[in-house]
Each structure stands twice: as C-alpha cells, then as structure tokens.
Amino acid sequence: MRLGGRWTADQAPAVEAAAARIVTGGPARLVIDLGDVERLDTLGAWVLERTRAEVEAAGGSLAYLRARPEHRTLLGEVVIRGEPPAPPRRLGFALGFLDGLGRQVARGGQEFATGVAFLGAVVAACGRVALRPRSFRGTAVVNQVQQMALNGAPIIILISFLVGGIVAQQGIFQLQRFGAQTFVVNLIGLLILRELGVLLTAIMVAGRSGSAITAEIGSMRMREEVDALRVMGLDATEILIVPRILALMISLPMLTLIGDLAALAGGGLTAMVYGGLTVDQFLARLQAAVGVHHVTVGLIKAPFMALTIGLIATIEGFAVEGSAESLGRRVTASVVKSIFMVIVLDGLFAVFFAAIDF
C-alpha cells in the first residue's frame, strides 16, 4: 500500500479512515510505502503504529518502506508495546530466601569481577603515569592528602583516644579480679598496635573520605563532567582516580600511626587513673610488651585497606546515575562495602601473620 498526503492532527478524520481501510482485508503480509507522505506528526505516527499492532494481533505482519529518517525516528518513539509481562509467580518463604540468596551471590560475583577489572585499569593508569612523569598530578595528590590526612587527623585522634581509654578501663576491671591489672598495658599495646588502631582508622577513613570520593565523582557524573573529560581526550582514570587512591595510600598509614599514639595515650591515662600505674611504670611495661614488629603489622595493613577503600569509593562514584536518589544510594553502598571489606581484609591479615608467627 502507498500512503500520501499529510498524516497530521488537522487531518485526523482522513487519517483514521485510511487506517481503517488498511486493516479491512484481514490477516496479511503488508508493506506500507511512506515515500509520498508529506508530513507526519505524533498523531499520524501513533495511528500507523496502532494499525501495525492490530494487523500483527490478527496474525499478519506490517513493514514500512521508503520512510524518511525523521519519520522512522518518530515511529520508533510512539511504538506500541505488547502486553506487559505477567508478574513473576510468588515463591514460598524457603524458595524466596534461596532465590534472594542466589541473586545476591551472583551480584557479588559480578561486583568482584568489576572490582578486579577496575583495579587493572588503575594499575594500567599508574603505569602510564610512571612512563610519562609530566602527566602526574602532584598538586591534586597533595590537595587530597590535606583533605584526608591533615583535616581528618583531629577526629581520628579524638576517637582513638576515647577508644583506647575505654579498652583500658574494661581491661583493668576484669584483670583486677586476679590482681593482674598491670597486664592491661600488654592488652592495649598489642590490641591497638596490631589490630584495633588500623581497623578503627580505616573505618573512619571509609566513612569520611570514602563517602566524599563517591559523592565527588558521582556529582561529576550527574553534571556530565566525566563525559566532558573524555570528549576532550583526557583520561578520567588518571585525573580522578589515581590521585585519590595514591592520597589514600599515603594518608592512611600516617593516620594509623597517629591513631595508635592517641589510643595508647588514652589507655595510659586510664591505667594511671584506674590501675594506679605511674608514667614510668606504664612506659616500661609497654616497652617490654611490644616490639617494632607489632607496629609494623598495623602499618603493613594500612596501604592495602586504603587501596580497597579507594577502589570501592570510585567504583560506586562512577556507577551514579542522573538522580539525587542514586547518588545517596551509591554513597551509602560505598561506606557499607568499604567497612565490610576492611574488616574482612583485617581478618585475612590476622590469619596470615599468625601463620607466619609474625
């Protein structure tokens, strides 16, 4: 069939009459020639698509021939979809639980693969920067270190000091039953230097700096600034990701050491107040209980935790879509995933160092 004239809203009666004649013959294989159509607006396109749907529902087929590009675009926009799919059958509690668990495991596997691929992209970007030192953005790294380490040090010191005091107080209350309250120095020294100091610092950095990274990159995604960088021929990984991850890997060991000292100070003050220890006794006991390798254990963990936090934060930032709801959801996911992975990583390191007796 060959159509012509104006298929527009002001010709609605004639358009409807022509569409009715198309479907009169019953099921058939129809080819509609649109080459002579002068104008086509939303009403005409919708009538044609409605006619196509009626022909296909009757068992026939309908195809367009010689349609202009703008006409094909309009027809594609007003295409009539089929019936919506039936809602999935409701599962019982047990099957629903297993189905949800399986979907979570599959999603976790996909996120792990994404993380590995993202890590490869970051390593490749670092390699490119190493081969072209002039492209290294040292100013951005220094600025990020200032934001993460210098500006974050006060809250790290305060929280670590309080936690060290709480751990020492509870330890003294329990050890006093056996007359061994002096051993609280061993307790806080080993616990803070090997485990609690770096773990607490990493969790606070994940909540403070990790969420900030996700929000910054997510906001750039919403304003299409990342796309603008790519259009200008710049590598978003080198500009946005590498400086932040390097700054995290520099900042977290420094904050860990500062947090360890603050926690030991809080524990020592508590030991003097509740345990009756003097400063000389506390320092002598601490020197006998811990060694340099205990400090090294905590500092070795810090760069790996920083890398994990940076990767998760940037991945979630680049996954932000064009809404404030998506940004909030991704920031929340970044903090939760970072804290979870930091704790898992700390457990793996604890098993590893115990196995090598370090």
Side-chain angles (χ1 to χ4, degrees), residues 224-238:
E224 299 182 353
E225 295 178 20
V226 177
D227 297 330
L229 289 174
R230 291 170 177 159
V231 168
M232 290 187 292
L234 301 176
D235 189 348
T237 303
E238 294 182 12

Side-chain angles (χ1 to χ4, degrees), residues 257-307:
L257 185 59
I258 294 173
D260 289 345
L261 295 177
L264 290 176
L269 180 61
T270 305
M272 296 172 198
V273 174
Y274 288 93
L277 298 177
T278 64
V279 176
D280 294 336
Q281 289 174 332
F282 179 82
L283 293 178
R285 189 79 183 183
L286 183 63
Q287 185 178 5
V290 302
V292 177
H293 67 283
H294 295 299
V295 182
T296 306
V297 167
L299 295 180
I300 288 174
K301 299 176 183 179
F304 294 95
M305 292 183 177
L307 178 62

